[in-house]
Structures are given as structure tokens and as C-alpha cells.
Amino acid sequence: MDHPTPTAGATHATFDELLQRHRGMVLKVANSYANGAENRADLAQEIAAQLWRAWPGYDPSRSFSTWMYRIALNTAISFLRGERQRRRHAVPLDERLHDLADERAVDHESDDRLRLLWRFMETLGALDRALLVLYLEERTTREIAEVLGLGESNVTTKISRLKQRIRDYAAPSATS
């Protein structure tokens, strides 16, 4: 167990404390599934609301972070589906790229790699994106399998394929 678990009489304060402790995870999922500061904030708020709604059903015998990831990713995937419906009629401004353009940044190579990773993630379907987020979070194969409802061998295979896709995506084109 990676975190203290609430008792049956868990309070709002306990939930709030756990949410604050794992706030970075919520923001990371929101950043992975939403473009633009406003959409990311909306998604983070929706994730928090869904977590609160599900809180009474949380099973303390399970890992809190795994439970939280499952809800956050399901909420994000639903958000992404809704966002795709809205995008059909609009051309969004990718503010995330502007957010990364910090003039104080001295490591332009890291920024370029991060931008490449974000662009790659945007090409992925919802499940592969969730898989990559969890992998980048250094979650174990078992945790990823539990969060996504997959078998561990399936997770291992999918991660291996994702790594190859990233290499192919990042490789310079043979024609250039």
C-alpha cells in the first residue's frame, strides 16, 4: 500500500489531503489529455469532481494511487472523446507549445524533445496515451495493468510497441 487508506468514516478532510498529495498526478493526466490552459484546468477540475463522487466507494484494501489513476484516466478519456467532437468544427491554438517556450530556459534540446513527445502523444489513441502516461510515471507493469484493466503481458507488449513507435516517430525521415 503506497498511502494511508481512509476508514469507512473517511472525511472530506481526508479526501482533500489525499487529493492535495497527489495533485501532480491529476495535473499530469490533465496535461496529457487537454490542450490549452483553460481546457487543462477544466479537465483537472472534472477529475477532482469524479474522484470526489467515487470516494465513498473507494476500497481501502486497494492502492489509493492506482484507484486515483483509474478514475483520472477514465475521466480524461471521456474528456478527449468530447473534445474530438468539438474539434471537428474548430481549429484550436496549441497553447501548450507556448507554455513550454520559456525564455529563461537554457536547455533547448530538452524542450525540443518534450515538444516531440507531446506531438507524438497527440497521435495516440486514448488507451495508448494512458499507457504512456503511466509508463512515464514509472508505474510498474502490475499497476498499469490494474489501472487499465489489462493483463501484465499485454501491458509489456504494448509498452514495447509504443517504444518502437516513439523511435520511429522521432527518427529523421529517410527522405530528408
Side-chain angles (χ1 to χ4, degrees), residues 27-86:
L27 296 175
K28 188 168 291 187
V29 170
N31 285 337
S32 299
Y33 282 84
N35 289 323
E38 189 173 316
N39 282 344
R40 289 192 295 267
D42 287 348
L43 179 55
Q45 185 175 12
E46 182 59 25
I47 290 169
Q50 290 298 329
L51 288 166
W52 175 246
R53 285 186 198 109
W55 177 244
Y58 169 65
D59 178 359
S61 68
R62 312 289 301 247
S63 165
F64 179 78
S65 64
T66 299
W67 174 82
M68 191 173 192
Y69 259 119
R70 180 176 291 166
I71 292 171
L73 289 170
N74 283 333
T75 303
I77 289 168
S78 294
F79 176 87
L80 187 62
R81 287 182 184 138
E83 184 66 20
R84 284 188 177 147
Q85 293 287 336
R86 289 186 291 275

